[in-house]
Amino acid sequence: MLSALTILSPDISTPSKASSLLDLPAEIRNSIYRLVLVPPRPALHTQHITKQSPNLALIHTCRQIHSEAMPLFYSENAFSAHPSLLTSMPWLIHPARPICSPNVIRWIRRWELGVRLDCDARYGPEGAERAFNGMQELEIEAHEAMFDATGPDVLFVFKGIRGVGCANVRGSGKKSVHRWLEECMMAPLGKVMDGYDEWKIRKGEEQVRQMDNELYLKAPFVLYHREAGGLTVDGSG
């Protein structure tokens, strides 16, 4: 009986081989890199957004992990474009810590950009196209000092951008301009798109009016309508 127990019992005197991250398949390693290096992005229309700072300690453990994880870190996080230099000197967490290396910036495929509607843009259409054509994501948030005090002219700088995988325009200004601009930016490279006036005719007056009567404020999950009597709460979905 004792001999049988001895045969069935594991030999605890022999140490097991320590598992290593590099022993795992590449697909699993990439999943781990994403969990560590790509924090969840804040929800849209959330006030006082503070991005989570990723823990970069993993990148510095060895040369192989560094070479595998760094392109993923830059390509899957959304970086803030510079307000005047666009894709030069972008940042992830704070503008005081910009990225300056062109060799690293070329990996970035997801962008966020704040635009002031009440100030002239410091770049032209050609610069915007060079910066963002063919990117995976582009999110533009428009701001103005006084509600409904300016037109959408500054946003027209981006109308020539093409080939963006997912474009999102939000914030101040007419929602119909936002939707038209998103369609332009997500169109294939080289495609000629309708101007805003032609787009409005194609969409129809009633549909455009409905877009422009909806004002998404930054408070989450609240949709307001602009009516003759002022702003009234419409619902929470």
Side-chain angles (χ1 to χ4, degrees), residues 117-214:
L117 298 182
D118 47 7
C119 300
D120 291 335
R122 301 178 185 177
Y123 41 82
E126 296 82 6
E129 292 170 31
R130 284 195 304 270
F132 300 120
N133 272 354
M135 290 297 165
Q136 189 168 349
E137 287 184 17
L138 176 57
E139 182 174 302
I140 297 173
E141 181 163 10
H143 307 270
E144 56 186 346
M146 185 180 298
F147 170 71
D148 220 13
T150 57
D153 292 355
V154 175
L155 290 177
F156 290 171
V157 171
F158 304 99
K159 67 182 180 180
I161 296 173
R162 297 290 185 271
V164 176
C166 179
N168 180 35
V169 184
R170 61 190 179 101
S172 302
K174 290 185 176 181
K175 303 309 166 190
S176 60
V177 174
H178 295 181
R179 302 293 85 79
W180 164 73
L181 193 56
E182 289 169 354
E183 288 188 17
C184 289
M185 294 192 293
M186 289 190 289
L189 289 169
K191 183 174 182 179
V192 177
M193 298 293 289
D194 289 338
Y196 176 58
D197 291 336
E198 292 80 9
W199 181 88
K200 286 195 300 181
I201 294 172
R202 180 164 54 84
K203 287 293 183 181
E205 181 179 349
E206 181 61 28
Q207 185 175 351
V208 172
R209 184 185 297 112
Q210 290 177 0
M211 293 181 193
D212 290 338
N213 282 341
E214 294 179 354

Side-chain angles (χ1 to χ4, degrees), residues 9-229:
S9 300
D11 186 359
I12 60 174
S13 64
T14 303
S16 59
K17 180 183 176 182
S19 61
S20 167
L21 175 60
L22 297 179
D23 293 332
L24 299 174
E27 295 82 0
I28 297 179
R29 291 203 303 273
N30 286 338
S31 297
I32 294 172
Y33 297 152
R34 287 188 183 92
L35 288 173
V36 176
L37 300 174
V38 186
R41 294 172 65 179
L44 296 180
H45 317 303
T46 303
Q47 289 181 317
H48 310 300
I49 292 175
T50 301
K51 287 185 177 180
Q52 296 183 36
S53 180
N55 187 346
L56 301 181
L58 177 63
I59 289 178
H60 302 293
T61 53
C62 75
R63 184 173 299 178
Q64 180 177 341
I65 290 177
H66 184 277
S67 64
E68 292 178 348
M70 284 296 281
L72 185 146
F73 168 73
Y74 283 104
S75 64
E76 299 208 11
N77 279 299
F79 286 78
S80 296
H82 192 279
S84 58
L85 302 176
L86 297 181
T87 53
S88 296
M89 298 184 68
W91 65 87
L92 180 60
I93 302 299
H94 196 279
R97 300 175 61 187
I99 299 163
C100 301
S101 170
N103 291 331
V104 170
I105 293 173
R106 65 184 175 84
W107 285 331
I108 300 175
R109 308 296 297 167
R110 303 168 190 262
W111 293 93
E112 299 171 347
L113 176 65
V115 176
R116 288 290 302 267
L117 298 182
D118 47 7
C119 300
D120 291 335
R122 301 178 185 177
Y123 41 82
E126 296 82 6
E129 292 170 31
R130 284 195 304 270
F132 300 120
N133 272 354
M135 290 297 165
Q136 189 168 349
E137 287 184 17
L138 176 57
E139 182 174 302
I140 297 173
E141 181 163 10
H143 307 270
E144 56 186 346
M146 185 180 298
F147 170 71
D148 220 13
T150 57
D153 292 355
V154 175
L155 290 177
F156 290 171
V157 171
F158 304 99
K159 67 182 180 180
I161 296 173
R162 297 290 185 271
V164 176
C166 179
N168 180 35
V169 184
R170 61 190 179 101
S172 302
K174 290 185 176 181
K175 303 309 166 190
S176 60
V177 174
H178 295 181
R179 302 293 85 79
W180 164 73
L181 193 56
E182 289 169 354
E183 288 188 17
C184 289
M185 294 192 293
M186 289 190 289
L189 289 169
K191 183 174 182 179
V192 177
M193 298 293 289
D194 289 338
Y196 176 58
D197 291 336
E198 292 80 9
W199 181 88
K200 286 195 300 181
I201 294 172
R202 180 164 54 84
K203 287 293 183 181
E205 181 179 349
E206 181 61 28
Q207 185 175 351
V208 172
R209 184 185 297 112
Q210 290 177 0
M211 293 181 193
D212 290 338
N213 282 341
E214 294 179 354
L215 173 62
Y216 289 88
L217 299 182
K218 287 190 175 180
F221 310 118
V222 180
L223 174 63
Y224 290 80
H225 284 285
R226 190 189 310 156
E227 297 179 350

